[in-house]
Amino acid sequence: MSDQPALPVTFRPGRTRVVLLTAGVTIFVVISAIALLLEQLGPGERLSFVVTGALIFWVLAQLARVRVVADDSGVTVVNIASRRRLAWAEIVQVNLRPGDPWVFLNLSDGTSLPALGIQPGIAKQQAIADARALRALVEHRSVRDPERGSGQDQG
């Protein structure tokens, strides 16, 4: 299939990642500069400013780390606080419907797993293309149940 990317492939919200990391660095630098410029602060207070800036950066970096990695043996979904490895056969359907904040993977155990690495927030067309590419990989590599049908996407 021509719409299948070469493996391994990583899907991630590139623009959102750039915005989050840039904001994190900027916030850390500004808060640290304020801590150094305010002469009335003691060493402990300065340190608390820097630690607060570092904590904000860390939270934004956690938000920026989301991704979906597909390789020959399956898919790894990295969300904000979790990582899950799936065999190709476990993924029944890839969904990105209008209004969805990110892709949802319907799994063979009847559950649905959000895959935050493909999200239409800032780059809607890229997310749709990524969802289609992942769907093509799943359809090609998974054992399919014809009763379940294929996933739906925007556009």
Side-chain angles (χ1 to χ4, degrees), residues 13 18 22-23 29 32-33 37 41 46 52 62 73 79-80 98 105 113 128 131 148-149 153:
V18 168
T22 301
V29 168
S32 297
L37 294 173
L41 296 180
R46 289 178 198 266
T52 299
Q62 290 301 104
S73 61
N79 288 332
I80 295 167
L105 303 178
L113 176 68
I128 292 169
R148 294 187 187 249
D153 64 63

Side-chain angles (χ1 to χ4, degrees), residues 110-154:
T111 63
S112 182
L113 176 68
L116 279 64
I118 303 175
Q119 49 183 270
I122 296 175
K124 181 178 179 180
Q125 294 307 316
Q126 183 64 49
I128 292 169
D130 289 350
R132 286 181 177 151
L134 182 58
R135 181 176 306 123
L137 287 167
V138 166
E139 288 174 353
H140 179 73
R141 294 178 169 272
S142 295
V143 176
R144 304 293 293 168
D145 178 356
E147 295 295 315
R148 294 187 187 249
S150 65
Q152 303 297 315
D153 64 63
Q154 300 175 2

Side-chain angles (χ1 to χ4, degrees), residues 14-43:
R15 291 181 187 167
T16 301
R17 181 177 166 83
V18 168
V19 168
L20 289 169
L21 292 175
T22 301
V25 168
T26 302
I27 290 168
F28 176 74
V29 168
V30 168
I31 289 176
S32 297
I34 290 170
L36 296 174
L37 294 173
L38 290 176
E39 296 176 9
Q40 70 269 26
L41 296 180

Side-chain angles (χ1 to χ4, degrees), residues 84 86 90 92-93 105-113 148:
R84 183 160 175 197
L86 301 165
E90 291 180 80
V92 175
Q93 192 175 44
L105 303 178
N106 292 340
L107 305 179
S108 59
D109 66 1
T111 63
S112 182
L113 176 68
R148 294 187 187 249

Side-chain angles (χ1 to χ4, degrees), residues 4-9 69-76 85-89 137 140-142:
Q4 286 185 41
L7 294 179
V9 63
V69 181
D71 59 34
D72 287 328
S73 61
V75 175
T76 302
R85 179 73 183 163
L86 301 165
W88 286 109
L137 287 167
H140 179 73
R141 294 178 169 272
S142 295

